[in-house]
């Protein structure tokens, strides 16, 4: 599958190409968030996900913090301000972050 430039130019979307290193297959794909998220965490409070490992790190730091203004947490403002309310309570904070750390370690370190 060869990627063709969109006739009306590029626009913000979730359309692209996926490829498999094992079978060398390539095809068009439209992402479906959060279903396609690699960093996806099912917890009793619901689903947490991130676009990247860096996003998960920012998420954990935000949840551990008592500062609830996403702007005070660096460059992840847009992402952090969309965390579901069920994850922001102080009573579950420690167990949520512990779960995220454990699951992140199972995914291994980035190359």
């Amino acid at each position: 599958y060869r990627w063709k430039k969109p006739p009306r130019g590029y626009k913000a979307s979730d359309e692209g190409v996926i490829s498999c290193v094992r079978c060398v297959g390539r095809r068009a794909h439209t992402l479906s968030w959060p279903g396609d998220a690699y960093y996806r965490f099912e917890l009793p409070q619901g689903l947490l996900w991130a676009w990247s490992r860096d996003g998960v790190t920012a998420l954990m730091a935000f949840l551990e913090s008592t500062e609830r203004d996403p702007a005070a947490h660096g460059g992840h403002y847009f992402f952090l301000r969309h965390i579901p309310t069920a994850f922001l309570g102080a009573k579950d904070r420690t167990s949520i972050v512990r779960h995220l750390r454990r699951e992140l370690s199972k995914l291994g370190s980035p190359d």
Side-chain angles (χ1 to χ4, degrees):
Y1 183 84
R2 288 192 156 268
W3 178 252
K4 295 177 190 162
K5 182 178 177 182
R8 294 186 186 93
Y10 291 104
K11 61 181 181 183
S13 75
D14 291 328
E15 297 174 3
V17 174
I18 61 170
S19 64
C20 176
V21 294
R22 189 171 25 168
C23 73
V24 195
R26 298 181 116 196
R27 65 181 170 88
H29 181 72
T30 300
L31 288 171
S32 174
W33 297 106
D36 288 339
Y38 181 73
Y39 296 100
R40 178 184 159 100
F41 309 96
E42 299 277 349
L43 292 118
Q45 297 85 345
L47 174 68
L48 275 178
W49 64 277
W51 287 292
S52 66
R53 189 178 195 91
D54 190 42
V56 178
T57 303
L59 177 63
M60 290 187 299
F62 182 75
L63 292 174
E64 282 181 313
S65 172
T66 57
E67 173 61 64
R68 285 292 176 247
D69 179 9
H73 291 273
H76 295 279
Y77 170 77
F78 183 77
F79 170 65
L80 295 175
R81 66 174 236 216
H82 289 93
I83 296 172
T85 309
F87 295 99
L88 300 177
K91 109 179 155 166
D92 295 331
R93 182 180 309 165
T94 305
S95 64
I96 291 170
V97 172
R98 187 179 321 119
H99 179 84
L100 294 177
R101 285 190 201 291
R102 185 172 52 247
E103 294 301 312
L104 193 59
S105 72
K106 288 180 187 176
L107 295 174
S109 61
D111 292 338

